[in-house]
Amino acid sequence: MSLSTIKQFIDYLQSASTAQQFLQQTYEKQNMDEADTYSYQNSYRFLYYLEHGHTFYQTAAQSPMTVQPILLFYGMVHLIKACLLTQRPTYPENTTVLAHGVSTRKRKKQDYSFLQDEVKVQQKGLFPYFSQYLFDVDHVNMEKRNMEQLLASIPEMTEMFYFLRKNPSLIDIGEGKRGVYIFPEEVLDQYHLTENAFLSRLKKDIGEVSLEKRGGEFLISLEKPISSLSKGPFLFHQIKSTYFFPAKRHYYHTYDEVMIHYLLLYNLSMICRYETEWWGDLIHTKANEDYPFIKQFLAITTVKVPFLLGEFLFKQK
């Protein structure tokens, strides 16, 4: 799906009538009761979530790095809420789902490193809620996540990790034409798995697959095509339009990439607001590797999250 198509579709939804029609069609496809009533009740809320979300993103793109994490995080939250209305017409059902659903350390240590920081997923709140209802992912498997691991799961960050670690965090496995992806044989060594065990793991997470050897690589064929919504372990590189796969088992996961951006932006927005001295020093002194990684991530997420969530909405049509 092209970025221009997604943008035009979001523009198409920028009226009460088109928003209402879209919601009604979406609810009817899911066989919901009172689809007509809910679509009228939610049309303006849906419209304003989209409008406010994209306004935050547009403002962030024109703002200094100092305030970008706050603008991007709340822009993302508004777009997520718009997506939730397509699946949960009574959202929010209660006040517990209004919390962020994630927490960070209250005070940063003296030798604090963002790459080594962690966030903790809470039992209730927006993060576990949208993970379940938008992406069918159970938050229990993500109780604590490290920032470096999260950043390493974003395909557009792969080169940065190669510069830092001399090894890529993800490998390019191709466009997936006819559902076929190309893997180097070394992947099995990195995962410490036999061919059969590797295939079993993939079957468990993504469905039926088959393997064919060819020289120093093997071809993996998927029965069902992968969506560019970018869900691990097959992650979509927006610029190259190819799919990436975790190079090591340490990076392997089955989370939707939107979830990863949410956790990173939440932590950065909290740092931006409450750790202003560290944040100011980072931006002005550029003292360690945190700076280029954060700067690169902010540039990527500004474009990619509206694309991914826009495609989520488009696929409901």
Side-chain angles (χ1 to χ4, degrees):
M1 187 65 57
S2 70
L3 183 59
S4 63
T5 301
I6 296 298
K7 286 182 175 178
Q8 288 184 44
F9 180 65
I10 297 301
D11 287 342
Y12 164 77
L13 296 175
Q14 297 294 303
S15 77
S17 62
T18 53
Q20 183 272 322
Q21 292 167 15
F22 169 71
L23 288 175
Q24 182 170 346
Q25 292 169 4
T26 302
Y27 296 155
E28 288 174 348
K29 281 175 62 178
Q30 298 174 69
N31 298 315
M32 292 183 183
D33 295 330
E34 301 181 81
D36 183 64
T37 301
Y38 280 129
S39 65
Y40 276 103
Q41 288 178 352
N42 289 332
S43 58
Y44 275 104
R45 205 151 52 106
F46 176 77
L47 173 64
Y48 292 146
Y49 279 148
L50 286 180
E51 182 181 318
H52 293 175
H54 283 283
T55 299
F56 273 115
Y57 274 95
Q58 291 164 6
T59 305
Q62 301 168 3
S63 300
M65 183 176 170
T66 315
V67 295
Q68 278 184 345
I70 300 173
L71 296 170
L72 292 171
F73 179 70
Y74 284 107
M76 183 179 195
V77 166
H78 279 78
L79 296 186
I80 286 173
K81 289 179 178 179
C83 292
L84 279 170
L85 282 181
T86 68
Q87 308 299 306
R88 307 289 292 177
T90 59
Y91 170 82
E93 293 88 342
N94 54 64
T95 56
T96 61
V97 301
L98 298 176
H100 295 312
V102 191
S103 63
T104 62
R105 293 193 185 103
K106 297 302 180 184
R107 295 291 297 272
K108 306 304 181 187
K109 298 178 180 178
Q110 185 174 359
D111 297 324
Y112 170 76
S113 165
F114 177 77
L115 292 179
Q116 301 310 312
D117 198 6
E118 292 181 335
V119 291
K120 184 177 181 181
V121 176
Q122 302 297 309
Q123 291 288 329
K124 297 178 180 179
L126 181 60
F127 180 78
Y129 185 87
F130 84 74
S131 298
Q132 178 183 356
Y133 290 112
L134 297 187
F135 307 120
D136 298 319
V137 176
D138 191 337
H139 73 280
V140 173
N141 297 326
M142 286 189 71
E143 186 173 351
K144 277 190 178 181
R145 297 305 297 177
N146 170 270
M147 295 298 101
E148 182 174 327
Q149 286 180 309
L150 292 173
L151 287 168
S153 297
I154 298 174
E156 293 84 356
M157 294 290 299
T158 303
E159 288 84 357
M160 293 290 287
F161 278 93
Y162 179 80
F163 299 148
L164 179 68
R165 304 291 184 217
K166 307 307 178 189
N167 285 301
S169 56
L170 306 172
I171 53 173
D172 192 334
I173 56 173
E175 297 178 12
K177 291 182 178 178
R178 296 181 295 278
V180 178
Y181 301 86
I182 303 171
F183 288 71
E185 283 188 335
E186 296 79 50
V187 169
L188 296 179
D189 296 331
Q190 297 295 334
Y191 278 74
H192 306 294
L193 294 173
T194 63
E195 291 177 16
N196 288 335
F198 186 69
L199 282 178
S200 296
R201 184 166 191 172
L202 289 180
K203 286 179 181 179
K204 176 178 175 290
D205 293 330
I206 62 175
E208 195 61 37
V209 298
S210 60
L211 180 148
E212 175 189 347
K213 278 193 172 183
R214 190 181 69 181
E217 59 191 18
F218 53 88
L219 310 181
I220 288 186
S221 302
L222 276 60
E223 191 175 85
K224 296 180 180 179
I226 296 293
S227 166
S228 58
L229 282 174
S230 198
K231 182 175 182 178
F234 288 74
L235 296 152
F236 184 69
H237 194 300
Q238 188 182 1
I239 300 170
K240 295 182 177 180
S241 294
T242 60
Y243 290 87
F244 279 62
F245 190 87
K248 298 180 180 180
R249 64 191 305 167
H250 176 67
Y251 296 119
Y252 187 94
H253 66 81
T254 56
Y255 319 131
D256 192 279
E257 191 179 333
V258 169
M259 298 164 61
I260 293 168
H261 286 254
Y262 183 94
L263 295 176
L264 287 162
L265 282 175
Y266 170 79
N267 198 13
L268 284 171
S269 69
M270 295 296 285
I271 292 169
C272 180
R273 280 178 285 176
Y274 302 115
E275 300 291 339
T276 50
E277 184 177 358
W278 184 89
W279 183 241
D281 286 344
L282 174 78
I283 293 173
H284 294 105
T285 66
K286 305 173 178 61
N288 57 40
E289 66 268 15
D290 283 344
Y291 178 79
F293 276 83
I294 292 172
K295 182 180 179 182
Q296 180 75 357
F297 166 71
L298 292 175
I300 293 166
T301 195
T302 300
V303 178
K304 195 168 189 183
V305 167
F307 167 77
L308 292 174
L309 291 175
E311 183 164 11
F312 177 91
L313 292 174
F314 187 87
K315 287 185 178 297
Q316 310 305 310
K317 190 175 182 304

